[in-house]
Every structure is written in structure tokens, then in C-alpha cells.
Amino acid sequence: MSISVSPSHVATRSPRLSRTVLGLALSAALAGLSLAPSVSQAADAPKCELDRTVRFGGMNWESNLVLVEVERFIAQHGYGCESEVLPTETLPALAALERGDLDVNSEIWLNSTLEPWTKAEATGKVKRIGDIYMGGEAWFIPKYTAERLPELKKAADLPKFKDDFKDPEEPSKGRFYGCPAGWGCEVVSTNLFKALGLGDTFTLFSPGTGATQKAALTAAYQRKENVVFYYWYPTPLVGSMDLVKLELPPYDAAKQKCLTDPNCDNPQASDYPENPVFTAVATKFTQDAPKLTEFLSKVKVPLEVMNQTMAYMEKNEAEPQPTAMWFLKNQEAIWSGWLPADVTERVKAAL
């Protein structure tokens, strides 16, 4: 298996998500024990369409990790399929899906991957099978910063306020927290940063991991420090902070397409569009596992329910697997709509 994972990605995670990523391989190995049906259920257990484990991509953000655990539980108890989670990042995961090293990428954010996704889809080796929810992205400042700096309304105004966001490593400039290194949104953040001409007055800081980014922003917010940053939602962080979006130029599809291209020659600023978050699978997987494909194509979660799930995770400092169990036990009306009646009954019995 050749799926790239940045060493720094693992080394710098927060304790909760660090344990998650470092433990994914162990979790996969133990899945047969922790998720195994009882002896009484075994006789009625269905036979999986595949004679191997289903390979899910494990991205390093909370909503994806939780959704993957929900899907794995259903795949095992509803369809009799063992699975494993392969830790990876956005662009390496897309390449792995195209090669067939991954079967399922549960969350692809179209806005952040438009150019590479379009190219991958054109090969016929990957398929978009279902939309999960409509996510969003923005450049934010805390509300207390907006009150201190009432003239700061637009991202293009940032150069005038560089001294209010001093970079501790380069005090002559401000610091803008972009997207974590290696994620698809890093390409957009970098191109947008260039398009707005911020390089002379700000440094673009790309944290090594999502956990590093979250920890830095949370610490700054708790200290009431001025901070300007990119973030996406639904996420526990955006839900827990009082934030204000900085205005960007109106959305333009052609400009946005170039912003998602790592080789964009002349990036021009454009607001983020609404961001469809969808499930993608390897085309061969759809041929080998049509029932699993049908299930995954129906996975859809209302945004407010995903926000509730993220809030539960944050409040309880819960790992993805117990958060997934909370979702399954409390949102039956949602997930039962993804499944045939007999599969629903097997999953309910396993809970």
C-alpha cells in the first residue's frame, strides 16, 4: 500500500486526534473484536460482497473520522464486511482512490479539490456517488477583533492592519493562518493569499496538521489575541467561537477554478462558493460491491445534525468511534433512511 502520510502530521497532533490517527491501524486490526456480532447474531450475519477488507480513507478532521466510523459500523453489522482505515490527506487520498489503493473517500470537499477531482473523474477510475451535506469556508476574525478594528471589513484591508496580527517569528509582518499543509484547501489559501497581494505584509502560516491549527487558534481565542485565519464548517471550532467573516470579492466560477489549481499562473480573488461535500469511490469498487455502493450513495446528513454531532464530540472530548456510536443511537431516523429494512434491523440489533 502506498498512501502518503506526512510524519509531522502524526507528530504534532493534539492528544485527542493524535491518539485517533496513531491508533487507526490498531483500531482496524481490532475491529473484528470491538465490532464483532455476538454468537447468536452470527448465524444471521450476511456475507460481504468482497472477499477482503473495505479500505476507507482516514482524513485528519473530525467530521470525516466520525462519518467513517459510522459507515464502518454499518458495513460490518449490516453487510458483513470487515474494514480498515488508512490515514492519509486530501490530495494523496484522491491519488490513492484513483489507483485503487483506497475504496472509499467519505468526504471530498469539492471547492478545495475542484481541479484535481475533475482530472481524476475524467479518467473513469473514480466516481462521485452521493452528496453528504453543504459545507462552507471563509476567512475569519474573532468578534472581539472586529470590535477593536471596526474598519477591518474585507480581506483586502488586511495590509493596513499587519501590526495588529504580528507574526511571532517575523514581527515586521502579520500572520495569516491558512489551511493545514497537504490539504486541498492549502492550494486555495495560497493562491488567494497571492491574489490579494498579502505577501509583503503578512506571512502565510500553514500548520502541519489540522490539530495544530485548531490548538493555535483556540489558544489565541482564549487569550483574546487578534488572529485572522481560514477555516471550514461544520466544525467544533467554528461552532464554539464567536467569529466574523472577512469579505472577499464576489464568487466567480472561472477565478475559483484557477484558485484550486496548484499551477494557477494568475490567481485572482474570489469568494468561496457553497461547498458540496460528497462521497467518492473507486470505480472498480462499484462493480465489485454494488450493495455497499448503494448504501454509501445514500449517506446524507443534515447540516444541523452534523453540527450537533460535532458539538457532542467537542463537549465530551470524545474519540471518533464513540461519537459515531452516539450518532447511531440518537439519529436512527437519519441513518435508517440510507438502508434497506433488513439491514436497518441488523444494525439496530448490533447497537
Side-chain angles (χ1 to χ4, degrees):
M1 194 66 62
S2 55
I3 299 180
S4 301
V5 182
S6 167
S8 62
H9 161 78
V10 174
T12 58
R13 295 186 67 81
S14 70
R16 172 157 64 85
L17 286 182
S18 178
R19 292 195 304 273
T20 298
V21 173
L22 291 174
L24 282 173
L26 178 60
S27 296
L30 296 176
L33 295 176
S34 62
L35 299 180
S38 66
V39 174
S40 62
Q41 293 169 330
D44 299 323
K47 181 175 173 58
C48 185
E49 297 168 293
L50 299 175
D51 58 1
R52 58 170 178 81
T53 59
V54 182
R55 301 178 295 251
F56 285 87
M59 307 302 167
N60 52 353
W61 62 85
E62 292 97 334
S63 59
N64 177 81
L65 292 171
V66 171
L67 192 62
V68 165
E69 292 303 322
V70 169
E71 292 171 346
R72 291 182 67 215
F73 190 92
I74 292 173
Q76 177 150 4
H77 294 287
Y79 294 90
C81 297
E82 298 295 330
S83 64
E84 60 182 322
V85 182
L86 303 174
T88 183
E89 296 172 354
T90 303
L91 298 181
L94 184 55
L97 195 71
E98 191 174 348
R99 292 193 303 268
D101 292 341
L102 281 180
D103 296 308
V104 185
N105 191 333
S106 299
E107 272 195 22
I108 290 183
W109 290 62
L110 183 60
N111 175 51
S112 300
T113 58
L114 180 60
E115 188 69 18
W117 168 255
T118 301
K119 291 178 179 178
E121 191 175 32
T123 68
K125 296 178 179 179
V126 299
K127 286 188 176 182
R128 174 178 175 172
I129 61 170
D131 292 349
I132 304 168
Y133 56 78
M134 188 68 72
E137 300 171 275
W139 285 19
F140 292 103
I141 56 175
K143 185 178 180 181
Y144 59 75
T145 297
E147 292 170 347
R148 292 170 186 167
L149 308 173
E151 295 181 2
L152 176 55
K153 303 289 188 184
K154 302 177 181 179
D157 295 333
L158 282 170
K160 295 183 289 186
F161 299 94
K162 68 181 182 67
D163 293 335
D164 295 290
F165 300 94
K166 282 187 178 180
D167 187 326
E169 298 177 7
E170 197 170 346
S172 64
K173 292 185 176 183
R175 172 178 284 191
F176 174 80
Y177 285 86
C179 184
W183 292 17
C185 54
E186 184 187 19
V187 174
V188 180
S189 289
T190 300
N191 281 332
L192 192 52
F193 187 86
K194 292 177 181 177
L196 292 167
L198 299 180
D200 292 335
T201 52
F202 274 76
T203 61
L204 175 58
F205 183 77
S206 296
T209 69
T212 302
Q213 181 193 38
K214 181 180 178 181
L217 297 175
T218 299
Y221 187 86
Q222 291 173 343
R223 293 193 295 262
K224 300 295 182 185
E225 295 175 354
N226 293 330
V227 61
V228 56
F229 59 96
Y230 159 88
Y231 223 79
W232 69 101
Y233 52 90
T235 50
L237 182 137
V238 171
S240 64
M241 294 182 179
D242 197 354
L243 303 174
V244 174
K245 292 181 182 179
L246 290 180
E247 295 177 24
L248 289 164
Y251 170 70
D252 181 285
K255 293 178 181 178
Q256 180 61 25
K257 183 177 181 180
C258 195
L259 289 174
T260 67
D261 184 355
N263 300 312
C264 181
D265 291 328
N266 182 30
Q268 299 180 52
S270 168
D271 200 357
Y272 292 94
E274 287 191 319
N275 200 339
V277 181
F278 62 92
T279 299
V281 296
T283 299
K284 190 174 187 306
F285 176 81
T286 68
Q287 299 162 353
D288 296 341
K291 292 181 181 178
L292 283 175
T293 300
E294 177 71 11
F295 146 52
L296 292 167
S297 73
K298 293 182 178 179
V299 174
K300 187 177 182 66
V301 183
L303 192 57
E304 62 271 19
V305 173
M306 184 58 75
N307 282 330
Q308 292 171 13
T309 306
M310 295 293 95
Y312 171 86
M313 188 179 197
E314 183 78 357
K315 180 180 178 180
N316 295 278
E317 298 184 349
E319 298 283 350
Q321 199 277 337
T323 304
M325 294 302 293
W326 177 89
F327 174 89
L328 287 163
K329 290 175 180 178
N330 290 275
Q331 302 295 342
E332 181 183 329
I334 303 289
W335 61 261
S336 62
W338 310 338
L339 307 170
D342 60 329
V343 176
T344 297
E345 289 306 310
R346 287 194 291 269
V347 174
K348 286 171 62 177
L351 291 171

